[in-house]
Amino acid sequence: MSDRLEDIAIKMVAEGKGILAADESTGTIKKRFDSIKVENTEENRRDYRELMFSADEAMKNYVSGVILFDETIRQKAKKGTPLVNLISAAGSVPGIKVDAGAQDLAGFPGEKVTEGLDGLRGRLKEYYGLGARFAKWRAVITIGEDGRPSWNCIHANAHALARYAALCQEQKIVPIVEPEVLMDGPDAKHGIDRCYDVTVWTLQTVFHELFVAGVKLEGMVLKPNMVVPGQHSGTTASGEEVAEKTVKALKATVPPAVPGIAFLSGGQSDEDATAHLSAMNAMYDLPWKLTFSYGRALQAAALKAWGGKAENVKAAQAAFTHRAKMNSLAAMGTWKRDLELKAA
Ligand code: 13P
């Protein structure tokens, strides 16, 4: 595989492929395992990740890259093959989450800033040696009725994203730049237009900071939220409205030099995340590839089908493959709802 940042970034958003976000921290995967009553042990985490990474059809045809957590990039499959090798053998690019999580932003209650810059250069060097060719850093922006987000929150997070991205590129690792305007949480009462305004404000600030930091846009991938109403807004938006407002926000802020945009699912249902992506690709001719980098919306069905039991591995792989295929079609704008019904 070419080592040029531009080539890796293009591979990450290859036609009809997207990214599997399997980088849940040990705490976050516990929440997922709790939902299926599975104990959060290292072995169970390994077995669960191994079942996805060895789902051949999905990995070879629909998954361009996999975001890993620190533990997973060092883990071996049951038979001893490093999990990273399963991913590369399928032609998919291994990546690594490098942020240290969102912490309270001092002086700004209810807001977070993502930490993890200290020592990052050294960690990137190590991850490169372990096979990672891209990285991820997630910033979270909360909308509230009490003046959130603040300029300080948006600026601090955008600045950290830019410092992270510059360090990644220095180490020949493609940065996934992920500023997430949250749709969920107890305060998410905002409507879709407020999400639009905050998304535009956030993305504009992020690209300004990336420019100041000298980040090469050709060698990065953007991972934004879609423009949707808050979970507790009491309103809904049609797929077309989500597609229209998301594309409008991206056109206003993301330079065409960026090769691709891979959305997070953010708490949307599996089918909404797929339908919205497909609508955008079907409705518009855009300068960037638009694809998926889903965590929950790619894994929820597989997790449920698995339930922690070895005898369910095949069923879980089938569920994962189905979602990956549906999202692959969405990345090409050709997904249809009746494809879901046939599979059900
Ligand atoms: P979701 O698709 O579940 O939002 O996760 C994507 C992700 O990587 C969040 O950082």
Side-chain angles (χ1 to χ4, degrees), residues 55-59 62 302 316-326:
D56 243 28
E57 184 194 336
M59 292 296 296
Y62 315 129
Q317 289 180 322
F320 172 59
T321 303
H322 174 70
R323 283 270 44 90
K325 185 174 181 178
M326 294 299 103

Side-chain angles (χ1 to χ4, degrees), residues 11-342:
K11 190 167 174 186
M12 288 164 65
V13 295
E15 180 74 3
K17 289 190 176 188
I19 298 165
L20 165 64
D23 60 321
E24 300 85 359
S25 63
T26 308
T28 301
I29 199 78
K30 180 180 185 316
K31 287 188 216 153
R32 310 279 185 263
F33 280 8
D34 283 351
S35 74
I36 54 163
K37 300 195 170 49
V38 168
E39 207 190 330
N40 189 23
T41 62
E42 185 177 347
E43 196 180 342
N44 283 339
R45 292 193 291 272
R46 190 272 318 272
D47 288 350
Y48 174 58
R49 265 79 184 239
E50 182 177 346
L51 86 79
M52 288 187 285
F53 307 162
S54 52
D56 243 28
E57 184 194 336
M59 292 296 296
K60 287 190 172 141
N61 300 309
Y62 315 129
V63 177
S64 57
V66 181
I67 319 175
L68 302 167
F69 183 60
D70 180 78
E71 174 185 88
T72 325
I73 200 170
R74 303 168 194 280
Q75 259 173 339
K76 293 192 168 101
K78 224 179 196 107
K79 290 189 179 151
T81 316
L83 291 180
V84 174
N85 294 10
L86 290 185
I87 295 166
S88 328
S92 185
V93 187
I96 181 78
K97 181 227 292 292
V98 299
D99 67 66
Q103 308 297 332
D104 289 343
L105 180 62
F108 290 78
E111 295 198 294
K112 304 272 184 195
V113 64
T114 302
E115 297 187 349
L117 289 169
D118 288 357
L120 182 55
R121 177 179 281 121
R123 289 193 292 127
L124 289 167
K125 282 186 205 294
E126 189 196 1
Y127 286 138
Y128 188 95
L130 290 167
R133 290 297 176 270
F134 72 91
K136 173 189 120 170
W137 179 289
R138 173 175 176 254
V140 293
I141 309 294
T142 308
I143 299 177
E145 285 163 344
D146 50 358
R148 285 174 295 162
S150 64
W151 162 240
N152 184 39
C153 175
I154 291 183
H155 180 252
N157 276 296
H159 184 74
L161 276 166
R163 283 189 59 196
Y164 140 82
L167 276 165
C168 284
Q169 291 190 337
E170 179 196 271
Q171 297 303 321
K172 300 203 181 314
I173 287 182
V174 171
I176 292 187
V177 173
E178 180 178 3
E180 175 175 6
V181 177
L182 292 175
M183 65 172 281
D184 61 2
D187 297 332
K189 296 182 185 140
H190 56 277
I192 190 168
D193 290 327
R194 178 82 177 125
C195 178
Y196 173 86
D197 289 342
V198 173
T199 300
V200 167
W201 186 18
T202 300
L203 291 176
Q204 224 155 37
T205 310
V206 166
F207 279 98
H208 175 74
E209 292 291 326
L210 291 172
F211 172 75
V212 172
V215 172
K216 267 167 67 173
L217 299 182
E218 295 81 358
M220 63 163 276
V221 170
L222 179 71
K223 176 162 172 168
N225 53 284
M226 293 184 194
V227 174
V228 291
Q231 202 176 34
H232 304 296
S233 69
T235 62
T236 54
S238 69
E240 276 182 13
E241 187 180 8
V242 170
E244 190 194 308
K245 290 185 172 164
T246 303
V247 166
K248 190 173 173 206
L250 296 172
K251 276 186 174 170
T253 55
V254 185
V258 172
I261 297 173
F263 292 101
L264 57 94
S265 59
Q268 300 181 67
S269 71
D270 295 0
E271 212 169 301
D272 278 355
T274 305
H276 293 158
L277 176 62
S278 195
M280 284 183 241
N281 279 309
M283 287 161 64
Y284 301 95
D285 187 15
L286 298 164
W288 346 263
K289 278 277 171 35
L290 285 193
T291 187
F292 57 93
S293 175
Y294 296 159
R296 285 162 284 181
L298 256 184
Q299 294 184 47
L303 185 74
K304 207 166 148 216
W306 176 56
K309 298 198 173 73
E311 65 264 30
N312 294 338
V313 162
K314 285 261 164 337
Q317 289 180 322
F320 172 59
T321 303
H322 174 70
R323 283 270 44 90
K325 185 174 181 178
M326 294 299 103
N327 285 308
S328 161
L329 294 173
M332 297 182 290
T334 57
W335 172 85
K336 297 276 176 301
R337 201 170 295 277
D338 61 2
L339 295 171
E340 301 280 356
L341 299 174
K342 269 183 224 152

